[in-house]
Amino acid sequence: MHELSVCQALIEQVERVARENDASRVVSIVISVGPLSGVEPQLLEHAYPLAAAGTIAEHATLTVETVPVRVRCRKCAAETVAEPNRIVCGACGDWQVDVTEGEEMLLRRVEIETEAAGVH
Amino acid sequence: MCRDCGCSLGPAATRAPLAAPAGVAGKIETIEVITAILGENDRVAAHNRGHFDGHGVLALNLMSSPGAGKTALLEATIRALDGRLRVAVVEGDLATENDAQRIRACGVPAVQITTGNACHLDATMVHDALHDLPLAGLDVLFIENVGNLVCPASFDLGQHRNLTLLSVPEGDDKPAKYPVMFRAADLCLITKTDLLAYITEFTTARARDSLRQIGFGGETLELTSRGGEGFDAWLAWLDREVEAQRSRKRQGETARPKIQPEGAHAHAAGGRPHR
């Protein structure tokens, strides 16, 4: 239940991106979360407004893209989707697989607004 | 219960869309980032790892549910080592100095981190604790994380290896229920095996199978902190890892736990925290 900590770290990253790009506000944020990252997308969405309050991202919408667990089999080389608690090859059933997707907790995109030139 | 998850707030309150400020519309730009959300924690963790490596200290992160026997394992380990390896402990709990006091009673230095309501240790908490703990002259630093099978798995502390304990009374299907935590382990210790005689529902074969099913690629040892064959195997694992860390120090190398969910993927994706 560490999603608020994760959201606070997210806001810090977003604030940095906003600062580096001279944003006047953040419009939207897209993150990508895999089932093996250890965070729950729904809890992230709940915690987000608390972390964003009073920051440049206060009014930004948060989109959490979820990705499945994907594995590549070391035996039969098949690439299949797996369950987080059953990380086995979907083709041959072998457990000697490499996880290729599903562990990530990434900030992907930040949509920002910058002051239009000559507005002031 | 937990300050961190915000779960005491009702969905209606937290999901209500916030009104956007009125005003002059500026130019909208999309910035592609692809950076680890916990990049700042990862940076501090790397800094911690640098401290450990500089002193040739092996840092081990112990994780489990509360009551799986982390502190008892440390007490028994310190007593069995009898000064052969120089050990210190960082203890993480929500409250009390109890565990640090138990460790100090064994004659080794311990620093207690009390997290308040936070459900995990992070790299900064450990970094602050290191200021109270001289690393010079140590062989092993044990970091006993907050008893919790969910949150600690997501935060790199700078450790070289993750150890997850599964105690017999918890049931042999724990890895299937908490796959992220058990998958993060380099070593899984099945503890309290002296209770196998009483808790016949638990079989170590099923526990090992449950670990295999979640893609656990590390070692598994069975032991009780009361001593015996399994405990000797644990001490041998510790000796091997201490030797490996000494060898890495000579080579100027470091090590990370096998599974580092976020960092690993950020690198695979070619992303870098740009700061």
Side-chain angles (χ1 to χ4, degrees), chain A residues 1-2 4-5 13 16 20 37 42 58-59 85-87 95 99 103 105 107-110 112-114, chain B residues 4 15 18-19 26-29 31-37 151 154 176 183 212-214 261 274:
Chain A
M1 303 308 152
H2 48 302
L4 185 56
S5 295
Q13 300 274 14
R16 181 180 46 72
E20 286 170 0
S37 70
Q42 203 182 9
E58 177 159 9
H59 301 287
N85 62 0
R86 206 175 139 68
I87 300 182
W95 56 273
V99 172
E103 296 175 330
M105 196 199 304
L107 171 59
R108 289 209 170 271
R109 270 185 301 284
V110 182
I112 56 165
E113 187 176 285
T114 51
Chain B
D4 264 351
R15 279 180 184 165
L18 297 161
K27 197 169 79 161
I28 304 287
E29 275 180 58
I31 317 284
E32 299 289 334
V33 189
I34 311 189
T35 182
I37 291 175
C151 314
S154 297
R183 210 172 147 264
R212 245 195 314 276
Q213 297 280 327
I214 58 157
H274 67 123

Side-chain angles (χ1 to χ4, degrees), chain A residues 46-64:
Chain A
H46 285 186
Y48 174 75
L50 297 175
T55 73
I56 195 166
E58 177 159 9
H59 301 287
T61 58
L62 175 69
T63 304
V64 184

